[in-house]
Amino acid sequence: MPIHRRDFTGSLSALAGLGVLPNLAQSQESGRSPLFVATWNFGLPACQKSLETLQKSGSILDAIELGIHVAEADVRVDSVGVGGAPNAQGVVQLDACFMDGATHKAGSVAGLEQYPHPISVARRVMEKTKHVMLVGQGAAEFARLQGFEKQELLTEEQRKKWMEWKSKQPADPAAAPPNHDTIALVGMDASGHIAGGCSTSGLAYKLPGRVGDSPILGGGLYVDGEVGAAGATGIGENIMRYCGSFAIVELMRTGMDPTSACKSVIERIARTEKKPPSELHINFLAIDKQGRWGGAGTDAEFQIAVVDSHSARLESPLLVK
Ligand code: GLY
């Protein structure tokens, strides 16, 4: 478990307001509470939606997808879905992946333009194709054929910020300030079925076509029904070269608890990079099959939203210095 608890945003009364408490007894009877964890404070309403969806539909896959929709649709979340930061040419390109631990099936999209819910397109890739990953125009054409609605993703606020960035440093995308507000949301139902998803607009002002860790299975997300799940947020280049989420799940397979597994992977990356963790901007969360959750990160502001049948709260995970 993380060592600090910073903020109790959620409460039993908030959950009651969402109508998610009545099924508490049902969850306890099954011997295990459903559990959802997600990155950042905007992960909290997402996880609440996940629990609500699970209790209505009974589907952990629907719960993950519709939970992530909340962040994708919220224009205040400036690096996921609508309102996400654009690339260096002012175009919003979205990445997402979806994974089902029970079947070990997965779907992923990268560089998807004009569709506000890449997580749904990723799930559809998993369920309707023989493939795992679609990119760019191919992903957009698939979304169109599947009946998804197009939408302008670049908000006026993001356009102004991009214009300002462009006027100051057009020639150096690497100089863009790091933004790393990806949503990774993983969950388990009362029967132990684990699934997860990850969705982002990626690094602000990235080179057009740049793909980060978020749609890469094993990088920004990994789910193994026998073990647990892990997800990431931060500078994708520092995560995907180490298969960060895969490495965490594999450590949990050896019996390591989620927080220790996240910490161990961050320390391994820092050792290899020969850099202090504070320069890496990498943050992880994980759950295991026993219903334990945890996380670790290199950014002091990193928070994890945790929602189960008893509470909804924000936690500050272990800071790796
Ligand atoms: N972690 C999100 C990205 O680097 O694209």
Side-chain angles (χ1 to χ4, degrees):
M1 294 284 286
I3 38 180
H4 300 118
R5 176 174 297 183
R6 197 156 70 192
D7 194 358
F8 258 77
T9 302
S11 64
L12 289 175
S13 56
L15 284 171
L18 284 166
V20 295
L21 282 179
N23 285 347
L24 179 60
Q26 202 177 32
S27 302
Q28 286 174 329
E29 267 167 32
S30 71
R32 194 184 338 223
S33 168
L35 170 69
F36 294 95
V37 300
T39 49
W40 302 109
N41 55 0
F42 54 77
L44 194 60
C47 285
Q48 286 172 321
K49 180 70 178 179
S50 291
L51 183 59
E52 192 189 327
T53 304
L54 180 68
Q55 295 186 323
K56 273 190 193 144
S57 77
S59 164
I60 187 75
L61 302 186
D62 290 351
I64 299 293
E65 178 184 357
L66 297 187
I68 289 177
H69 270 204
V70 173
E72 289 178 333
D74 188 342
V75 292
R76 294 166 304 175
V77 179
D78 66 1
S79 63
V80 180
V82 186
N87 66 18
Q89 290 178 349
V91 178
V92 181
Q93 292 186 317
L94 302 178
D95 299 336
C97 74
F98 193 93
M99 191 161 188
D100 178 4
T103 59
H104 216 76
K105 286 189 172 168
S108 164
V109 290
L112 180 66
E113 297 176 16
Q114 295 190 299
Y115 287 92
H117 293 300
I119 196 68
S120 296
V121 186
R123 180 179 173 186
R124 208 63 77 82
V125 172
M126 177 181 89
E127 290 177 340
K128 301 284 183 193
T129 80
K130 295 178 189 164
H131 310 305
V132 170
M133 186 169 197
L134 296 177
V135 304
Q137 281 189 349
E141 177 60 4
F142 172 74
R144 188 186 72 77
L145 289 171
Q146 288 291 316
F148 289 102
E149 295 282 326
K150 273 189 174 182
Q151 187 178 333
E152 175 56 62
L153 305 178
L154 185 66
T155 58
E156 188 51 24
E157 192 182 333
Q158 284 291 5
R159 195 187 66 78
K160 280 185 190 152
K161 282 188 190 164
W162 167 71
M163 294 285 281
E164 195 184 326
W165 168 83
K166 198 165 141 59
S167 70
K168 285 184 187 155
Q169 42 190 330
D172 185 7
N179 87 333
H180 40 73
D181 292 350
T182 299
I183 185 162
L185 193 161
V186 299
M188 181 167 67
D189 70 14
S191 75
H193 186 168
I194 302 172
C198 188
S199 180
T200 190
S201 56
L203 203 63
Y205 320 132
K206 59 194 176 185
L207 287 176
R210 176 265 190 189
V211 173
D213 61 310
S214 304
I216 305 298
L217 296 156
L221 179 79
Y222 193 66
V223 184
D224 186 311
E226 288 182 352
V227 180
T233 175
I235 302 293
E237 285 74 3
N238 290 340
I239 297 165
M240 61 205 291
R241 289 183 290 121
Y242 292 88
C243 300
S245 295
F246 175 76
I248 289 164
V249 171
E250 290 308 301
L251 286 177
M252 292 195 297
R253 193 189 300 279
T254 69
M256 204 179 266
D257 68 88
T259 293
S260 301
C262 294
K263 174 174 179 272
S264 174
V265 167
I266 291 172
E267 288 172 343
R268 186 194 305 172
I269 295 172
R271 227 173 20 250
T272 310
E273 295 289 312
K274 298 185 176 49
K275 283 183 181 166
S278 59
E279 287 180 22
L280 294 173
H281 301 293
I282 52 176
N283 305 282
F284 294 102
L285 53 68
I287 60 172
D288 69 11
K289 188 84 178 170
Q290 292 101 282
R292 296 182 295 182
W293 68 272
T298 64
D299 295 321
E301 67 272 27
F302 178 47
Q303 289 183 302
I304 296 179
V306 182
V307 171
D308 57 25
S309 296
H310 311 285
S311 68
R313 59 195 191 272
L314 285 172
E315 299 265 4
S316 292
L318 180 71
L319 180 64
V320 182
K321 292 184 186 161

